[in-house]
Amino acid sequence: MTGVLEVDDLSVDFGRRRLPAVRGISFSLAPGERLGLIGESGSGKSVTALSIMGLLPENARVRGQLRWRGENLVGRPDAVLSRLRGRDLAMVFQEPMTALDPTMRVGRQVAESYILHRDASSGQVRGTVLEALGRVGIEDPQRIADAYPHQLSGGQRQRALIAMALMNRPSLVICDEPTTALDVTVQATVLRVLNRQLASVQAACLFISHDLAVVAQVCERVAVMWRGRIVETGRIVDILERPRHPYTATLVAAARFDPSEPRAVPADLDAEPGAVPDDLDAEPEGAPPTRPYGGEGR
Amino acid sequence: MRRVPLIFGLVAVGFVVVAALLALVWTPYDPAVIDPVHRLGGPGWPHVLGTDTFGRDIASRLMAGSRTCLLVGIVAVAFASAFGIPLGMLAGMTHGVVSRVVLRATDLLYAFPAILVAMLLAAAFGGSSLTGTLAIGIATVPVFTRVARAGTLSVMSQDYIWAARGSGISWASIAVRHVWPNIAPLIGVQASVSFGMAILAEASLSYLGLATPPTTPTWGRMLYDAQAQLFNAPLLTLWPAAAIVVAVMGFNVLGDALRDLLDPRLREVS
Amino acid sequence: MAITRQILGRLTTLVASLLVASAGIFVALNALPGDATAAILGTNADPAAISQLRAHLGLDRPLWVRYLSWLHGLVTGNLGTSLLSGDPVASLIWPRFGVTLSLVTLGMVLSVVVAMPLGMYAAVHRRRARGFIAATLSQLGMAVPAFVAGIVLVLVFAVYLRWLPAGGYTDLQRDPLEWFRHLILPSVSLALVNGSLLARYVRAAFVEVLTEDWFRTARAIGWRLWPALWRHGVRNAATSLITVLGLQLATVFVGAVVIEQVFAMPGLGSLLLDEVGKRDLVVVQAVVMLMVALVLIVNALVDVGYLALDPRLRGRREMR
């Protein structure tokens, strides 16, 4: 009973027809613990994440309990939840290309996540912002902070978003497929940044993915979701060897492990925070964004 | 609750159409007959909605007014479709100069709302039902051009159009056989909304005395007359105002509901 | 530079539009020969007198020569003289211009004040009954003609409550308070209708904002719903909404024409309506050209403003 977050019999359904998305799942996270949540699209992973954040749409109905340090969050007013969000409870989303406000300089957006939970003005926090951008491996924080999102590459944006999420040293970071939209080479460096940052603030992590190989790079333990239920939980090594649920077996069969990547938690997890490996900026600087900006072409 | 707009739209539009059709053959009283003895009578019997300054029966005048406004709406929307749709299809099927010229002309026409065009025509030819209706029609052309062009563009990007062009089918035949059937529902939706806007414009024009002669019973004219009696007979204003609101809202809501029926994905966005 | 070229292109379009619009207005009013003389002398006048007057007014010149001379006048600030009174047109227009400009400006500002909360509310609660009610309210507002709204407002606030004047106008320079008091009811009438229409666009724009990934990011770092909408939503929705506002300017101008009639305000609209009645073509064509030119110029400025200000549009090849 000392968990950061205990999810107890959580169910979510949508709309008047009560379409169920999550059907009674339970799990818990101890301080600093990392849990992978894995499943195919539509299995309820993202809905679980959003219900913890309290960011589900208005027509969603949540039942069960989400206990944050022992206190149930379900049904709490937005005023309470929003004080928690971004300070103790942070989230990194799937789509870095569209997850930043296209009309606002990146530095200001990172600063917002700091200022919102403190009495500070944007002028005073510039140093803090640049430092945070540096920690996630952005080589030229001054330039990136003054740039607009469309001027950055996908990897740079996702690092800025990680910097935003970790700005206030949260105790839990939810990552919803944070590398799925990125090139494979960029994926590896972003995962490494994420690992290092999580370790340095000692945050717990709920890492959502459909890819067992990616989860294995961040987490030791994994919960497998299938059609709204958690069908299997355990250490990744055990699940890889003895999948019990048929769906898990197909997942294991489909997972491709890159032999050059470590299987479980990377060895450099405990490397000193702030150190930037050389290959972090392997992706070309100022690579052209693949989409001009969000809101079109959908 | 999802069906409420559709039902409301159908009922309101149906009500106006039935009143107008009925007015072609029968109204409770002759809408033009003056009866000074019973002037400014309140609602009751035999004058259901009362009488105006000259003792004319308000219900009859409203019915006659619905005739006028439907006629103006039909002619104006037909005019706008006849010019706007071919232009929009042309702009959607061609590239370069032609398409750009049509687009610019459309943008330019947006700077000329119906009332402004009506005033130009009234200054040049004298105000009449014809100039008023024509003005509404001209001002509605760009709306249809825009909708037809957007619809055509999306049809033209489909694979089967490329196939058709590859097999040597003429432009005209692509337009008639492939483009038109696909954009017709969009046009129908726009026609309903434009019909509402036309009724609104017609009311403003006859209020200003720019369209129909003062003797023709129209809702706008009734409001103009009622305004003079605002102090002693405020109900006179209510009836024609309510008629306009119900008719315009009916056509607008019906258009929206039809759009939702046609494309459920749009329900969220517009 | 790309951006300079885009701005120059937009300004070229503006000049072309102004030329086409002026030609259209001129042809519509001058294609019929003899109308101007009929307006002055009546239809049964002596043919000799008519041809003398035509020569005097320069109507015996070919249409295109008259157009070019009118255009030359427009560019050099000479709007011609009234056919009937002989007054310079400019002296008729300017005293009334301020009335219409005050009404249109205040009407636009109030439209935004009405539309933003209504449209945002309808967007936020779009899946609930209260959002449906807000959307229905804007449908209702759209269906009420501005002059009806004006009449009802007069009835309530001028006749029954006697809080505000039922009509007329006072110059801003003479008495700012009275100026404002006279403008309240007319501009509210304009704004109720126009704002309802705008609210539909606001709703659509904010429904999109609410589904954006970056909006979810803003919420995830701790913004509450409404502050997030004001801080991040408004600046993103502004682009499309200001375009809509620009397009609405034409409608608001003619709305003002009608509203001036309801409130007996001595503005451009009532001037235009008077002169249409008298068929004084020179004045009509000057006033219509002035209104259309204002609309076209403001819309061009809006587009140029985007090119200069919106970081996303910079360096993009095509607008829209």
Side-chain angles (χ1 to χ4, degrees):
Chain A
M1 281 296 143
T2 52
V4 182
L5 176 75
E6 286 155 37
V7 176
D8 191 358
D9 197 25
L10 177 79
S11 297
V12 184
D13 54 43
F14 288 95
R16 185 163 306 134
R17 282 190 288 164
R18 296 274 168 83
L19 295 173
V22 174
R23 311 165 189 244
I25 64 169
S26 303
F27 62 85
S28 71
L29 278 165
E33 187 188 355
R34 300 178 185 183
L35 175 69
L37 194 58
I38 196 163
E40 60 198 357
S41 58
S43 60
K45 310 173 302 228
S46 293
V47 173
T48 306
L50 289 176
S51 63
I52 297 169
M53 293 295 287
L55 291 178
L56 287 171
E58 232 184 2
N59 63 342
R61 224 168 59 107
V62 182
R63 279 162 303 158
Q65 290 208 329
L66 290 164
R67 282 191 297 275
W68 179 258
R69 300 187 189 287
E71 183 194 4
N72 188 11
L73 296 182
V74 174
R76 298 304 303 274
D78 193 52
V80 175
L81 296 179
S82 62
R83 268 197 296 276
L84 207 58
R85 276 199 298 267
R87 196 184 61 190
D88 276 352
L89 181 56
M91 185 152 177
V92 179
F93 293 101
Q94 180 173 9
E95 207 25 278
M97 303 313 281
T98 52
L100 286 164
D101 184 340
T103 63
M104 197 183 269
R105 291 177 201 276
V106 173
R108 278 183 71 189
Q109 297 189 52
V110 178
E112 270 187 358
S113 89
Y114 187 79
I115 296 166
L116 266 173
H117 302 281
R118 280 175 189 79
D119 284 328
S121 75
S122 40
Q124 300 166 316
V125 299
R126 180 155 176 100
T128 319
V129 168
L130 295 181
E131 208 178 297
L133 288 175
R135 274 201 303 272
V136 292
I138 283 173
E139 250 189 2
D140 188 356
Q142 297 269 2
R143 187 178 63 81
I144 299 296
D146 289 333
Y148 286 96
H150 73 274
Q151 296 165 321
L152 307 189
S153 69
Q156 286 168 329
R157 290 186 215 192
Q158 194 61 301
R159 274 182 243 180
L161 283 158
I162 292 172
M164 271 170 91
L166 288 146
M167 199 76 197
N168 301 313
R169 309 179 69 90
S171 14
L172 171 62
V173 180
I174 300 174
C175 302
D176 188 358
E177 309 246 11
T179 59
T180 310
L182 301 174
D183 290 343
V184 181
T185 48
V186 185
Q187 253 186 38
T189 56
V190 167
L191 279 179
R192 206 178 291 203
V193 166
L194 191 62
N195 264 324
R196 192 191 316 278
Q197 289 300 305
L198 287 172
S200 86
V201 304
Q202 294 176 328
C205 176
L206 182 66
F207 191 98
I208 295 172
S209 180
H210 62 278
D211 187 343
L212 204 48
V214 171
V215 174
Q217 289 177 57
V218 184
C219 308
E220 272 182 283
R221 223 157 58 88
V222 69
V224 181
M225 261 190 106
W226 188 66
R227 298 196 181 168
R229 293 194 172 85
I230 290 181
V231 292
E232 186 163 359
T233 313
R235 281 162 35 96
I236 290 183
V237 268
D238 298 337
I239 280 184
L240 278 177
E241 276 167 26
R242 287 182 304 278
R244 277 173 302 189
H245 192 272
Y247 172 68
T248 317
T250 55
L251 261 183
V252 170
R256 289 209 185 136
F257 284 90
D258 186 337
S260 70
E261 288 292 333
R263 270 207 178 188
V265 184
D268 62 353
L269 191 64
D270 298 316
E272 57 193 303
V276 181
D278 293 334
D279 64 339
L280 269 182
D281 272 287
E283 59 178 312
E285 281 289 326
T290 50
R291 278 172 68 181
Y293 64 89
E296 278 192 353
R298 267 203 272 178
Chain B
M1 201 167 77
R2 192 161 289 163
R3 299 216 164 259
V4 170
L6 182 66
I7 293 167
F8 172 82
L10 283 174
V11 169
V13 169
F15 188 67
V16 176
V17 171
V18 167
L21 289 177
L22 193 59
L24 288 175
V25 292
W26 176 82
T27 51
Y29 287 83
D30 183 334
V33 158
I34 292 171
D35 178 5
V37 180
H38 296 109
R39 59 191 298 265
L40 293 178
W45 194 259
H47 297 284
V48 183
L49 299 180
T51 52
D52 70 1
T53 333
F54 301 102
R56 295 174 294 197
D57 180 55
I58 291 175
S60 304
R61 289 180 68 75
L62 281 182
M63 284 174 70
S66 68
R67 208 173 52 192
T68 315
C69 86
L70 280 195
L71 186 67
V72 170
I74 289 170
V75 176
V77 168
F79 179 92
S81 315
F83 286 89
I85 298 171
L87 276 176
M89 285 170 71
L90 183 70
M93 292 179 71
T94 54
H95 297 285
V97 182
V98 178
S99 148
R100 284 234 294 281
V101 166
V102 172
L103 268 185
R104 292 288 169 231
T106 308
D107 282 350
L108 184 57
L109 262 186
Y110 272 113
F112 288 88
I115 293 173
L116 207 58
V117 180
M119 291 215 252
L120 274 177
L121 295 180
F125 305 101
S128 66
S129 306
L130 180 68
T131 57
T133 312
L134 194 63
I136 299 171
I138 292 174
T140 313
V141 167
V143 179
F144 279 90
T145 310
R146 210 159 253 184
V147 172
R149 174 175 172 269
T152 306
L153 278 180
S154 82
V155 175
M156 294 302 284
S157 66
Q158 304 289 320
D159 289 342
Y160 62 85
I161 296 292
W162 288 98
R165 285 175 61 188
S167 59
I169 295 173
S170 74
W171 283 104
S173 139
I174 289 180
V176 174
R177 269 198 274 160
H178 296 292
V179 178
W180 171 249
N182 279 293
I183 66 171
L186 284 176
I187 302 283
V189 168
Q190 188 53 55
S192 183
V193 174
S194 291
F195 214 108
M197 295 291 117
I199 292 173
L200 211 51
E202 193 272 337
S204 298
L205 288 180
S206 46
Y207 174 79
L208 294 176
L210 281 171
T212 46
T215 45
T216 314
T218 60
W219 296 342
R221 189 74 212 176
M222 288 173 77
L223 277 166
Y224 182 81
D225 295 338
Q227 200 185 350
Q229 304 293 332
L230 198 56
F231 299 87
N232 42 20
L235 268 186
L236 278 187
T237 314
L238 178 73
W239 303 121
I244 294 173
V245 171
V246 168
V248 175
M249 213 176 153
F251 279 104
N252 282 349
V253 169
L254 182 65
D256 282 0
L258 288 177
R259 180 178 9 226
D260 289 351
L261 273 187
L262 289 174
D263 190 351
R265 278 178 303 130
L266 289 178
R267 209 168 274 155
E268 277 293 280
V269 182
S270 56
Chain C
M1 258 186 54
I3 179 153
T4 321
R5 205 164 54 234
Q6 281 173 328
I7 290 176
L8 283 178
R10 186 64 188 84
L11 293 179
T12 314
T13 310
L14 170 65
V15 172
S17 307
L18 286 171
L19 282 175
V20 174
S22 66
I25 293 168
F26 189 84
V27 169
L29 290 175
N30 292 274
L32 293 176
D35 249 343
T37 53
I40 299 173
L41 298 172
T43 38
N44 297 323
D46 171 30
I50 290 181
S51 67
Q52 199 190 347
L53 183 63
R54 285 173 60 83
H56 175 66
L57 295 174
L59 293 179
D60 50 349
R61 294 174 298 165
L63 193 62
W64 64 271
V65 174
R66 281 152 57 199
Y67 169 66
L68 286 183
S69 103
W70 178 59
L71 198 61
H72 180 260
L74 281 183
V75 175
T76 53
N78 173 15
L79 301 176
T81 50
S82 158
L83 286 177
L84 296 173
S85 65
D87 295 329
V89 173
S91 76
L92 292 173
I93 290 181
W94 294 125
R96 289 159 171 268
F97 188 65
V99 181
T100 304
L101 198 66
S102 313
L103 180 53
V104 167
T105 312
L106 206 57
M108 281 292 221
V109 171
L110 284 179
S111 298
V112 177
V113 171
V114 169
M116 289 300 279
L118 186 63
M120 285 166 78
Y121 188 86
V124 166
H125 299 296
R126 65 191 179 286
R127 293 192 181 89
R128 293 261 187 99
R130 38 188 148 143
F132 182 77
I133 290 167
T136 309
L137 218 57
S138 86
Q139 280 276 13
L140 185 68
M142 272 171 65
V144 179
F147 64 90
V148 171
I151 293 172
V152 172
L153 288 177
V154 166
L155 190 64
V156 175
F157 292 99
V159 177
Y160 287 138
L161 296 175
R162 296 180 184 278
W163 289 353
L164 293 163
Y169 181 74
T170 305
D171 266 333
L172 175 63
Q173 288 93 337
R174 194 184 300 158
D175 186 345
L177 183 68
E178 277 304 306
W179 170 80
F180 186 66
R181 273 169 47 85
H182 280 89
L183 275 174
I184 294 176
L185 291 184
S187 44
V188 167
S189 324
L190 262 184
L192 281 182
V193 176
N194 197 58
S196 301
L197 183 59
L198 188 60
R200 274 170 69 84
Y201 291 97
V202 172
R203 179 183 181 275
F206 276 91
V207 166
E208 200 171 320
V209 163
L210 286 161
T211 57
E212 293 282 3
D213 290 345
W214 50 257
F215 188 75
R216 200 175 48 183
T217 307
R219 296 275 283 139
I221 63 172
W223 283 105
R224 297 188 58 187
L225 179 64
W226 283 92
L229 281 174
W230 284 113
R231 168 90 170 163
H232 288 276
V234 170
R235 56 194 295 147
N236 277 276
T239 322
S240 58
L241 291 182
I242 291 174
T243 306
V244 172
L245 267 182
L247 288 173
Q248 281 191 336
L249 186 60
T251 333
V252 173
F253 252 113
V254 301
V257 169
V258 188
I259 289 295
E260 282 171 18
Q261 224 35 41
V262 177
F263 291 91
M265 298 172 81
L268 280 183
S270 44
L271 171 70
L272 190 53
L273 213 58
D274 286 351
E275 303 299 329
V276 166
K278 294 189 231 159
R279 305 184 71 178
D280 192 331
L281 301 185
V282 176
V283 183
V284 171
Q285 106 191 345
V287 176
V288 172
M289 188 63 217
L290 179 67
M291 285 188 175
V292 170
L294 265 177
V295 168
L296 292 175
I297 290 170
V298 167
N299 277 302
L301 288 181
V302 166
D303 287 350
V304 169
Y306 283 155
L307 282 172
L309 295 178
D310 192 327
R312 291 170 296 180
L313 287 176
R314 273 184 226 144
R316 286 180 81 204
R317 277 198 198 90
E318 220 188 355
M319 298 194 52
R320 287 181 203 193

